[in-house]
Amino acid sequence: MSGNQFDVVIVGAGFAGLYMLHRVLATGRTARVLEQASDVGGTWYWNRYPGARCDAESLAYSYSFSSDLEQEWTWSERYAQQPEILAYARHVADRFDLRQHIDFDSRVASADWDEALGSWVVKTGHNRMFRASVCIMATGCLSVPRRPDIKGLEDFSGHFYQASQWPTEPVNFKDQRVGLIGTGSSGIQAVPVIASEAAELTVFQRTPNFSVPAQNKVLDADWVDAFKARYSEHRENHRQGVGSGFGDLAVLPQAGPMDPVLFESLTADQARDILEAAWERGGARFMGAIGDTLMNPVANAFAQNFVHQKIKDIVDDPEIAAALCPSNHPIGTRRICVDSDYYATYNLPHVRLVNLLKDPIIQITEHGVELQSEHVALDTLVIATGFDAMTGALLSMNITGSKGLTLAEAWSEGPKTYLGLMSCGFPNLFMITGPGSPSVLSNMIVSIEQHVDFVMSCLEFMVDHQHQRVEPDPKSQSGWMEHVQEVANSTLFPQGGSWYLGANVPGKPRVFMPYAAGVGPYRLACDAVAEADFRGFEFA
Ligand SMILES: Cc1cc2nc3c(=O)[nH]c(=O)nc-3n(C[C@H](O)[C@H](O)[C@H](O)COP(=O)(O)OP(=O)(O)OC[C@H]3O[C@@H](n4cnc5c(N)ncnc54)[C@H](O)[C@@H]3O)c2cc1C
């Protein structure tokens, strides 16, 4: 047993787990990472579907903790593809000598707080047991895939793939009649690439999502050099929350931060020009081009109409264009998708869109998809139907805190955290990018680094003050959760009916989970807590 005793156990070896491990080891503590996959990379290990790439720009979607690392790594494209991001995660693991501290193929099944010994007992599916006074959940916000509840899904006898559990060996779509269900970020990235290979592609769409062009390109070496020469300024800009940590990579820092233009100060022509420029520049920063698009329904409706018009301009068939225009949520209140030629793909003769609102799926059959109107024969079926987001991974483990309280019980009405970092009743259990923090609304590597740094300061504070145990005080936790809801309610986000609210999972409590104020204000709140001797946390 002593061989399985550590100062810290970390669950997950994605970007959060790797950086957490690096920081913990640097202080001389012992640590073990338990990871259910066979390698590092998290999201980028699992999501190998065709077209998978980041939608934050590569030079921003990367670690900032080591200037040597950021200088030596070369990103080839504005938005890196999955293999390159996975290679980066592997490089980090090797460069910082992290692998020897990671157990792969080790799914954590339970974590129990042992009050008498003041430690967590963490068990894997293979019944291996680990003990540590501190347990850190770096289990990811988008790591538990959702399968659609469609009759007959198991009956399909052709090739079947799920975007978020894509096989490691190459998948060939040549000469195949492919069907794809799910038109969120992953589906929208995959459609053009599958269409370029398949004999026929049928996309089954229930809900259209807004997508803006990535305007992806191979990075120019001189531009990268200039950017890297001022990397620390860029990083500061990302941390302070210009665009939730996405930064504005189209300009170098000397151009200054973008002024937040409000819709009411603009004429319609000016607003259209701003959106046109943002469309041409590409990327999710489209949402920040007019500062109040996510707060002001009139500004939002204007942006919606702008994108609708773009779709109608791109897609030749007016009926298909109309079906692709989202009308049931304000733009940006579901994660804005970033694509490469998604809409134009529907002009190809072998690509077909089935609007499930008009022609619903009755069932999946052995050989295809039976719609109300016809049977669509398929050789391959791909589903890209999203995740049980933010709470899925945490609740799929049996976590039991003090007094026998389980996390599932504590969160039966929705997640409850202080700063998205800890939950009352679960001493010494930290979450990285948990519900109640900016997490999925931000450039997540910015958020991950900030959380890990905060956890390390808290652990150092405990050493300095000889504390053994930390958890939030209930009043601070409920105050923070009220604040998270207040901020959400001052935006249009709650109208999105999205996975941010748990709306894609039947029976999941409808609570807006991420903190919508942005990474800059959130960082200020955390810094103020730390400076006030970790106000709101109880130590013993
Ligand atoms: C397709 C896709 C594209 C994305 N693109 C972007 C982007 O462009 N920008 C951005 O900011 N974010 C993006 N994200 C979000 C992305 O999840 C984060 O950016 C980031 O990779 C999260 O890192 P993480 O370490 O917190 O979590 P993850 O990468 O999800 O890693 C969590 C790890 O924990 C492991 N794990 C979970 N439960 C257990 C358990 N019980 N036992 C053992 N191991 C467990 C998982 O196997 C996984 O390896 C994207 C997500 C997806 C799915």
Side-chain angles (χ1 to χ4, degrees):
M1 172 66 210
S2 63
N4 285 348
Q5 176 103 34
F6 297 91
D7 295 324
V8 179
V9 160
I10 300 163
V11 188
F15 284 126
L18 291 180
Y19 180 47
M20 192 75 241
L21 176 63
H22 173 64
R23 288 293 316 268
V24 167
L25 294 174
T27 61
R29 290 175 172 84
T30 58
R32 199 81 202 150
V33 173
L34 303 172
E35 167 57 62
Q36 64 189 352
S38 306
D39 200 353
V40 298
T43 293
W44 305 101
Y45 171 88
W46 296 107
N47 291 266
R48 298 159 188 263
Y49 59 84
R53 59 173 81 238
C54 55
D55 56 16
E57 298 182 48
S58 313
L59 279 119
Y61 187 68
S62 51
Y63 288 121
S64 72
F65 71 84
S66 159
S67 54
D68 288 345
L69 172 68
E70 64 188 9
Q71 291 298 329
E72 75 200 14
W73 184 263
T74 304
W75 294 106
S76 59
E77 291 177 78
R78 182 179 177 190
Y79 298 96
Q81 298 195 46
Q82 173 272 333
E84 196 169 26
I85 307 175
L86 181 58
Y88 174 75
R90 287 177 170 153
H91 171 73
V92 171
D94 294 334
R95 192 190 187 288
F96 296 97
D97 206 11
L98 302 176
R99 284 184 189 275
Q100 57 174 310
H101 304 281
I102 306 174
D103 283 356
F104 294 109
D105 302 307
S106 300
R107 182 175 195 283
V108 169
S110 67
D112 296 270
W113 174 248
D114 181 334
E115 191 71 61
L117 291 177
S119 63
W120 282 94
V121 178
V122 178
K123 287 190 190 147
T124 68
H126 300 115
N127 241 345
R128 292 178 66 211
M129 188 164 97
F130 298 80
R131 210 177 248 285
S133 58
V134 173
C135 180
I136 296 169
M137 294 300 177
T139 44
C141 294
L142 301 171
S143 55
V144 176
R146 282 257 316 135
R147 282 220 171 166
D149 190 13
I150 303 176
K151 190 173 155 205
L153 194 59
E154 282 71 36
D155 298 340
F156 184 67
S157 64
H159 306 288
F160 178 81
Y161 304 103
Q162 181 150 8
S164 46
Q165 292 183 325
W166 204 260
T168 47
E169 61 275 12
V171 171
N172 189 358
F173 296 108
K174 200 167 173 296
D175 302 327
Q176 301 273 305
R177 294 165 302 174
V178 182
L180 182 141
I181 299 176
T183 47
S185 284
S186 302
I188 282 176
Q189 286 185 336
V191 160
V193 185
I194 297 177
S196 71
E197 290 177 28
E200 287 172 21
L201 172 64
T202 306
V203 179
F204 300 92
Q205 173 194 273
R206 191 187 56 184
T207 315
N209 279 294
F210 285 100
S211 188
V212 294
Q215 312 287 16
N216 186 42
K217 58 183 176 200
V218 171
L219 285 171
D220 171 70
D222 290 339
W223 184 88
V224 171
D225 286 347
F227 189 90
K228 282 189 170 180
R230 309 185 69 154
Y231 224 144
S232 57
E233 286 168 74
H234 287 294
R235 296 295 198 186
E236 208 40 42
N237 170 286
H238 302 159
R239 290 187 195 109
Q240 297 315 321
V242 182
S244 273
F246 286 83
D248 187 6
L249 294 185
V251 292
L252 289 169
Q254 63 266 30
M258 291 209 325
D259 290 331
V261 198
L262 296 186
F263 184 74
E264 64 186 17
S265 68
L266 301 167
T267 64
D269 282 347
Q270 286 170 330
R272 207 168 294 111
D273 286 349
I274 289 173
L275 294 181
E276 189 65 49
W279 184 272
E280 285 309 315
R281 198 176 55 175
R285 294 278 289 129
F286 177 87
M287 288 312 304
I290 296 176
D292 51 350
T293 305
L294 279 164
M295 273 160 309
N296 173 353
V298 183
N300 195 285
F302 191 89
Q304 286 181 53
N305 287 335
F306 177 88
V307 177
H308 287 170
Q309 192 52 52
K310 285 285 179 195
I311 296 170
K312 288 172 189 161
D313 291 346
I314 297 168
V315 179
D316 296 339
D317 182 327
E319 202 180 325
I320 296 175
L324 287 166
C325 287
S327 59
N328 72 343
H329 63 278
I331 185 168
T333 57
R334 296 179 176 191
R335 191 176 173 94
I336 187 91
C337 303
V338 178
D339 71 90
S340 296
D341 296 330
Y342 174 65
Y343 293 119
T345 302
Y346 291 99
N347 293 335
L348 300 174
H350 66 293
V351 178
R352 176 181 173 202
L353 181 77
V354 172
N355 182 355
L356 298 178
L357 296 177
K358 288 196 170 157
D359 196 1
I361 294 177
I362 305 301
Q363 61 179 343
I364 309 284
T365 66
E366 206 182 331
H367 300 295
V369 173
E370 189 185 325
L371 300 168
Q372 200 167 54
S373 69
E374 63 173 305
H375 182 265
V376 180
L378 299 173
D379 306 303
T380 297
L381 180 60
V382 175
I383 58 167
T385 41
F387 301 88
D388 182 354
M390 300 203 72
T391 55
L394 292 163
L395 293 175
S396 71
M397 289 170 280
N398 293 313
I399 302 178
T400 309
S402 53
K403 302 181 192 126
L405 179 74
T406 67
L407 193 66
E409 287 162 356
W411 288 10
S412 60
E413 291 165 1
K416 294 190 170 77
T417 70
Y418 181 43
L419 299 170
L421 278 155
M422 294 194 92
S423 191
C424 287
F426 300 87
N428 297 7
L429 184 92
F430 293 92
M431 291 162 265
I432 307 299
T433 65
S437 72
S439 63
V440 289
L441 294 181
S442 66
N443 173 346
M444 290 202 63
I445 302 194
V446 171
S447 288
I448 285 169
E449 287 192 327
Q450 188 260 340
H451 260 190
V452 169
D453 293 345
F454 185 94
V455 172
M456 287 313 298
S457 320
C458 184
L459 295 182
E460 292 308 302
F461 178 85
M462 288 170 74
V463 170
D464 291 348
H465 295 80
Q466 298 183 345
H467 296 310
Q468 309 291 325
R469 175 188 163 122
V470 57
E471 68 176 292
D473 86 62
K475 252 175 94 179
S476 302
Q477 176 168 292
S478 51
W480 181 254
M481 292 321 288
E482 274 167 33
H483 175 58
V484 170
Q485 293 313 310
E486 248 169 48
V487 172
N489 291 338
S490 71
T491 71
L492 303 174
F493 276 119
Q495 296 177 30
S498 71
W499 54 261
Y500 296 142
L501 273 163
N504 62 329
V505 180
K508 191 164 171 169
R510 297 285 183 274
V511 175
F512 191 78
M513 294 181 280
Y515 180 52
V519 293
Y522 175 76
R523 181 180 294 267
L524 288 177
C526 288
D527 289 351
V529 164
E531 275 156 29
D533 288 345
F534 292 88
R535 184 181 56 215
F537 290 97
E538 288 173 343
F539 294 92

